[in-house]
């Protein structure tokens, strides 16, 4: 063993007669190391003054003072050049910083399994709490995080009925309000543009659409519900589908507002005018869509404040102050921003 100088992981492993990989896995908190062995390694490491690069502080306190948010890189929100997650992170980081925490964004690539991506980060004890996004209708990550007793907040909602903290936008309420607006304009044949993903917001948006039709006494036609690529090209695909329909819809509601750009292009190419020949309403006021003509009717939410609330909720989960499941799950309303498109 070294008499002086920094004690490295190889020194520690040799001193204890263990493999370097075993010591490394113990330091990272992975599940395949015996708990007694892990504790013995941590105690000896502390006694000898060994401190891993990231986790010297963690070795002593068991915390990292990091909150991690997972983000998929292949969704419309991240691939269309818009600023949703940056604006959200602005508010989120400001709240976390005041409490002594840092925010880490964990981008999950298109060829990675979203569940395994999270499991690895948790195994490595990368953060004190996690925020998960791109929430699926039945999201395995929620049950996993509850099972390992890791503090977390879901940005979105799942159909999993359990006591987890969640913050979501009012997808159902937006869809209902949008359909009612279109019906009041006399546009009763309304196409619904969802994304091809199995995210739960699709189902919430669909339920709001269906409820508004029922309220108006109008029939639901599943042929008017299209699953599309959540990009500009998805909007172009929607426009082509509308043009091919025997009875052309007079209104369109989009869960991913950037699809409006492709839809506008397809309509103009066919000699049709958005807002006149087809009323179009998008989900969220988005800076990427600000130069559309006619201006897009959509819904506003203060994303920075939304991020601030997310920060408050995740800090509450770390402190275990929010124990009532009903109070943990919040749905934020959104305000209509009338444009000339519908």
């Amino acid at each position: 063993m070294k008499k002086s100088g920094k004690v490295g992981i190889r020194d520690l492993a040799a001193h204890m007669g263990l493999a370097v990989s075993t010591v490394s896995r113990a330091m990272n908190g992975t599940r395949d190391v015996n708990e007694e062995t892990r504790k013995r390694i941590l105690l000896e490491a502390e006694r000898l003054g060994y401190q891993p690069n990231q986790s010297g502080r963690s070795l002593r306190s068991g915390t990292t003072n990091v909150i991690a948010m997972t983000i998929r890189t292949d969704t419309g929100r991240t691939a269309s050049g818009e600023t949703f997650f940056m604006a959200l992170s602005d508010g989120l980081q400001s709240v976390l910083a005041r409490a002594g925490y840092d925010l880490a964004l964990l981008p999950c690539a298109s060829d990675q399994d979203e569940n395994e991506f999270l499991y690895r980060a948790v195994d490595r004890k990368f953060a004190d709490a996690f925020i998960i996004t791109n929430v699926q209708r039945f999201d395995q990550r929620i049950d996993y995080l509850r099972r390992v007793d890791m503090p977390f907040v879901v940005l979105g909602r799942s159909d999993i009925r359990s006591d987890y903290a969640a913050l979501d936008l009012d997808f159902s309420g937006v869809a209902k309000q949008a359909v009612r607006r279109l019906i009041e304009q006399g546009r009763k044949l309304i196409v619904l543009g969802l994304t091809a993903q199995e995210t739960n917001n699709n189902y919430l948006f669909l339920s709001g659409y269906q409820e508004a039709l029922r309220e108006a006494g109008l029939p639901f036609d599943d042929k008017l519900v299209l699953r599309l690529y959540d990009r500009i090209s998805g909007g172009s695909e929607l426009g082509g589908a509308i043009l091919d329909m025997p009875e052309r819809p007079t209104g369109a509601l989009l869960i991913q507002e950037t699809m409006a750009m492709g839809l506008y292009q397809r309509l103009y190419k066919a000699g049709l005018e958005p807002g006149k020949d087809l009323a179009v309403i998008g989900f969220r006021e988005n800076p990427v869509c600000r130069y559309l003509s006619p201006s897009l009717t959509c819904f506003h939410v203060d994303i920075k404040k939304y991020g601030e609330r997310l920060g408050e909720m995740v800090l509450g989960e770390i402190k275990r102050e929010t124990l009532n499941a009903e109070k943990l799950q919040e749905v934020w309303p959104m305000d209509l921003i009338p444009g000339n498109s519908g």
Side-chain angles (χ1 to χ4, degrees):
M1 192 68 196
K2 289 183 178 180
K3 298 294 184 181
S4 61
K6 184 176 180 180
V7 176
I9 192 168
R10 294 184 182 278
D11 302 313
L12 178 60
H15 171 71
M16 300 187 70
L18 298 172
V20 172
S21 59
T22 300
V23 174
S24 176
R25 291 198 304 275
M27 292 296 181
N28 288 327
T30 55
R31 291 170 288 180
D32 58 349
V33 176
N34 179 276
E35 184 62 20
E36 289 186 6
T37 301
R38 187 184 72 83
K39 288 180 179 178
R40 184 163 60 89
I41 291 171
L42 292 177
L43 285 172
E44 190 65 8
E46 187 171 18
R47 187 182 74 80
L48 296 173
Y50 168 74
Q51 294 184 358
N53 289 339
Q54 180 192 351
S55 57
R57 177 175 53 192
S58 301
L59 192 60
R60 296 188 299 273
S61 67
T63 62
T64 64
N65 284 2
V66 171
I67 308 298
M69 180 164 65
T70 63
I71 300 173
R72 283 207 70 90
T73 62
D74 59 345
T75 67
R77 288 273 173 253
T78 50
S80 298
E82 64 139 299
T83 58
F84 177 84
F85 280 111
M86 288 301 101
L88 182 84
S89 297
D90 186 21
L92 176 56
Q93 175 62 56
S94 67
V95 169
L96 297 182
R98 289 195 293 271
Y101 287 88
D102 291 315
L103 173 65
L105 302 182
L106 301 182
C108 180
S110 58
D111 59 353
Q112 290 182 288
D113 180 272
E114 200 163 24
N115 295 338
E116 290 298 328
F117 179 79
L118 175 69
Y119 302 161
R120 286 196 301 273
V122 173
D123 277 347
R124 293 167 183 160
K125 299 191 183 301
F126 184 84
D128 296 335
F130 286 81
I131 299 166
I132 60 173
T133 66
N134 198 49
V135 183
Q136 306 301 298
R137 193 176 188 187
F138 302 102
D139 203 306
Q140 298 177 33
R141 296 173 296 174
I142 294 173
D143 283 339
Y144 169 76
L145 289 166
R146 293 184 70 244
R147 189 167 62 250
V148 300
D149 199 28
M150 171 62 71
F152 71 99
V153 175
V154 175
L155 187 62
R157 280 174 288 169
S158 168
D159 258 5
I160 293 176
R161 304 300 181 194
S162 60
D163 55 343
Y164 61 90
L167 180 65
D168 199 10
L169 296 176
D170 191 6
F171 284 89
S172 178
V174 163
K176 282 189 284 189
Q177 191 173 348
V179 171
R180 290 169 185 156
R181 178 179 174 86
L182 292 170
I183 291 172
E184 288 171 359
Q185 296 173 1
R187 301 177 185 271
K188 299 181 179 181
L189 197 62
I190 303 165
V191 67
L192 180 65
L194 301 176
T195 71
Q197 297 178 312
E198 284 300 306
T199 48
N200 196 49
N201 54 20
N202 275 306
Y203 295 93
L204 294 170
F205 211 58
L206 175 60
S207 69
Y209 169 86
Q210 291 173 316
E211 185 175 341
L213 290 177
R214 283 195 300 270
E215 288 177 352
L218 296 175
F220 169 70
D221 184 351
D222 60 6
K223 292 190 293 296
L224 292 175
V225 179
L226 301 179
R227 292 282 193 138
L228 307 154
Y229 192 48
D230 63 340
R231 304 289 195 282
I232 295 172
S233 60
S236 180
E237 179 187 349
L238 174 62
I242 290 172
L243 294 172
D244 289 339
M245 290 180 180
E247 185 177 4
R248 186 177 297 164
T250 54
L253 174 58
L254 310 175
I255 193 172
Q256 172 55 273
E257 60 282 344
T258 54
M259 289 193 293
M261 292 185 279
L263 177 57
Y264 274 34
Q265 291 172 356
R266 188 67 182 87
L267 293 176
Y268 280 128
K269 187 176 180 180
L272 301 177
E273 185 178 339
K276 180 181 178 182
D277 299 300
L278 179 75
V280 181
I281 298 181
F283 175 64
R284 185 178 67 88
E285 183 184 32
N286 188 330
V288 172
C289 300
R290 71 178 62 173
Y291 298 114
L292 283 175
S293 180
S295 57
L296 183 66
T297 296
C298 52
F299 293 79
H300 171 77
V301 63
D302 188 326
I303 299 298
K304 183 176 180 180
K305 289 189 179 298
Y306 190 57
E308 289 172 352
R309 180 57 186 145
L310 181 60
E312 293 167 356
M313 290 182 71
V314 74
L315 291 175
E317 287 302 298
I318 291 173
K319 296 176 183 177
R320 300 298 187 191
E321 291 175 349
T322 50
L323 300 177
N324 187 323
E326 292 183 1
K327 292 183 179 178
L328 288 176
Q329 300 194 356
E330 293 186 13
V331 178
W332 273 42
M334 299 172 69
D335 299 320
L336 177 70
I337 305 297
N340 295 322
S341 68

